Amino acid sequence: MNVILMHYTPLEVCSHAIRTCWQSFNKSDNGGEKDRELIERVGNKYKHSSTLEHLVYTFYIKGISRAVLQELARHRVASLSVKSTRYTLKELKSEEPFSIENLKRVEKYVVLTKNESVNSAIINSLNGLQNLLKSGISNDIAKYALPEAYKTELTWTINARSLQNFLSLRTSKSALWEIRELAYLIYENLPDKHKYLFKDFVNKKNG
């Protein structure tokens, strides 16, 4: 799994939006401590969190399972552009059959668990999908046999308000292990100057 922060909104855009309400632009310090405190106070402390929607982050996320992709889709105030199975499943056609004896090659395409029985079932599904593709069945039909563990990647854009909700839910110890790992990586990849807005929404890793 890999997360890359591609783009983010400067803090002064959010502080400018807040100051628009009171026309207090003359008190701005261009994204400095005054503006940072203002965003924290209005957006987090006073819960006028719609102001945080002016802060937007775009991440490139690689190597997550389609099971996690499904969970990401539940966070609806976000935009997802996902690797297409219609155009990319051909990547399996040139491979030899997969086996439990060579997990490194298997992990190029799927996310494995710590359960050997589940991993064995994943590999069987992967081989079944490969056989369908090699038999000439189109990607659009064969993809119905995709295992949930099949790896994908996406460009994901989300605003700060929705990201706070995501981090709160997905760093919980009750969250699926894989999306919990993803949530911590997303937080770690935020700009250092922005992390103060999210730190209270992130559960401890050993929690």
Side-chain angles (χ1 to χ4, degrees):
M1 183 187 299
N2 188 29
V3 173
I4 300 169
L5 176 66
M6 298 182 65
H7 181 267
Y8 62 92
T9 311
L11 289 173
E12 49 264 40
V13 172
C14 185
S15 60
H16 184 279
I18 295 170
R19 293 192 187 283
T20 301
C21 302
W22 295 284
Q23 294 291 288
S24 62
F25 303 119
N26 61 316
K27 296 182 179 179
S28 172
D29 59 355
N30 299 312
E33 286 305 312
K34 286 184 179 180
D35 284 352
R36 285 164 50 84
E37 188 278 330
L38 176 72
I39 298 168
E40 167 71 12
R41 175 161 42 88
V42 174
N44 284 349
K45 183 178 179 182
Y46 295 160
K47 305 300 181 185
H48 296 302
S49 49
S50 62
T51 59
L52 299 177
E53 294 174 7
H54 295 285
L55 293 174
V56 177
Y57 307 87
T58 297
F59 300 92
Y60 185 35
I61 300 169
K62 298 179 66 176
I64 61 168
S65 69
R66 295 184 68 84
V68 164
L69 175 65
Q70 211 178 116
E71 295 205 353
L72 276 181
R74 296 174 185 170
H75 298 271
R76 291 183 294 279
V77 187
S79 298
L80 299 82
S81 296
V82 183
K83 177 182 177 182
S84 169
T85 50
R86 169 181 286 182
Y87 297 109
T88 63
L89 274 183
K90 60 186 178 183
E91 63 191 6
L92 287 177
K93 288 185 178 180
S94 60
E95 291 281 0
E96 295 296 319
F98 300 94
S99 70
I100 200 77
E101 283 74 33
N102 191 343
L103 292 183
K104 185 175 181 180
R105 196 163 66 85
V106 172
E107 287 181 309
K108 178 181 177 182
Y109 296 101
V110 295
V111 174
L112 295 177
T113 72
K114 294 181 180 179
N115 186 297
E116 288 187 11
S117 297
V118 172
N119 291 344
S120 179
I122 291 170
I123 293 169
N124 288 338
S125 295
L126 189 61
N127 284 326
L129 172 62
Q130 185 186 59
N131 289 336
L132 292 173
L133 292 167
K134 287 184 175 182
S135 74
I137 294 176
S138 71
N139 291 356
D140 263 358
I141 302 301
K143 69 184 180 183
Y144 283 90
L146 271 168
E148 286 276 77
Y150 201 80
K151 283 184 177 179
T152 190
E153 53 194 70
L154 69 150
T155 299
W156 191 57
T157 299
I158 188 168
N159 69 56
R161 183 184 196 178
S162 295
L163 185 54
Q164 286 179 340
N165 174 258
F166 172 82
L167 293 173
S168 174
L169 294 174
R170 301 307 185 174
T171 60
S172 166
K173 63 181 180 181
S174 62
L176 178 70
W177 65 271
E178 189 187 355
I179 201 168
R180 195 171 193 228
E181 179 182 341
L182 173 61
Y184 286 122
L185 278 176
I186 286 170
Y187 175 71
E188 289 165 10
N189 277 274
L190 286 170
D192 289 339
K193 288 185 177 181
H194 291 231
K195 286 181 179 177
Y196 79 106
L197 293 172
F198 301 93
K199 60 182 177 62
D200 291 338
F201 295 86
V202 177
N203 296 281
K204 293 181 179 180
K205 282 190 176 183
N206 58 356

